Amino acid sequence: MNIRPINEADYPQIDLYIEQRSWERAGKEWVKLINPALIKRVAMNKHPHIHTMIVEETYAVLFSVVKPWFTDSTLIEEKLIFKLFDGPGKFSDVIAALEHVAKTMGAVGILAGTALAPKDAVMVRILERQGFVVNHVGLFKDTAMSDDIIRP
């Protein structure tokens, strides 16, 4: 398996991904909060806790190594996966790469989600085929304009 850290030669492709704003196709209310400059910075490995790897010269995979508040165990938390290049990689390669990172870091599991998936149900099925199990559902409420929110 070919896994490598992102490097400066990849930055033009990151710029192209950001310009396409593909997250808007997800049609989810919360995506209006996305700051493209922050995605770019994080994707270019300029965040102290989020890492970017290139899998099979195809996918960019952003992840963090975490110890959530509820456990002493280490987990790998997938943050964002997107196709960066038209390479030979398959989505199963992404999961294999995350499993490799988990093993290397001594993590007991991988957290993944559907936050930017255009169709949550489709991404859930893809992840389930790779051995993931649905354990929680995330919800969003826009409070910026809500009159029923008590403000200080």
Side-chain angles (χ1 to χ4, degrees):
M1 173 179 324
N2 182 4
I3 305 170
R4 66 172 176 81
I6 198 160
N7 61 51
E8 288 186 22
D10 301 318
Y11 291 179
Q13 285 298 115
I14 295 286
D15 288 333
L16 183 60
Y17 172 76
I18 299 298
E19 288 170 18
Q20 292 172 346
R21 302 175 68 90
S22 62
W23 54 84
E24 291 175 350
R25 291 193 306 262
K28 297 176 182 177
E29 180 68 21
W30 74 272
V31 299
K32 66 185 177 191
L33 301 174
I34 291 176
N35 180 335
L38 291 177
I39 289 181
K40 180 177 178 176
R41 191 180 106 229
V42 173
M44 292 177 173
N45 261 349
K46 297 182 192 253
H47 188 283
H49 305 293
I50 300 175
H51 314 284
T52 303
M53 64 180 166
I54 304 298
V55 177
E56 293 296 340
E57 293 304 318
T58 306
Y59 291 97
V61 180
L62 285 66
F63 68 94
S64 59
V65 180
V66 298
K67 281 195 178 182
W69 63 271
F70 55 83
T71 182
D72 292 325
S73 298
T74 299
L75 299 170
I76 301 303
E77 188 173 58
E78 171 265 324
K79 300 292 189 182
L80 178 63
I81 299 168
F82 59 94
K83 193 168 186 177
L84 189 60
F85 301 107
D86 287 327
K90 303 177 297 294
F91 192 79
S92 59
D93 296 325
V94 169
I95 303 307
L98 288 167
E99 289 170 343
H100 173 77
V101 170
K103 184 176 180 181
T104 301
M105 300 305 297
V108 300
I110 302 167
L111 302 170
T114 65
L116 291 177
K119 297 185 182 198
D120 290 336
V122 171
M123 182 54 75
V124 166
R125 281 193 302 277
I126 291 169
L127 289 168
E128 285 176 332
R129 278 187 242 132
Q130 297 293 322
F132 287 80
V133 177
V134 175
N135 280 290
H136 67 278
V137 175
L139 304 169
F140 173 76
K141 179 178 182 179
D142 184 344
T143 60
M145 302 303 243
S146 181
D147 290 335
D148 62 338
I149 301 297
I150 299 171
R151 301 195 192 282

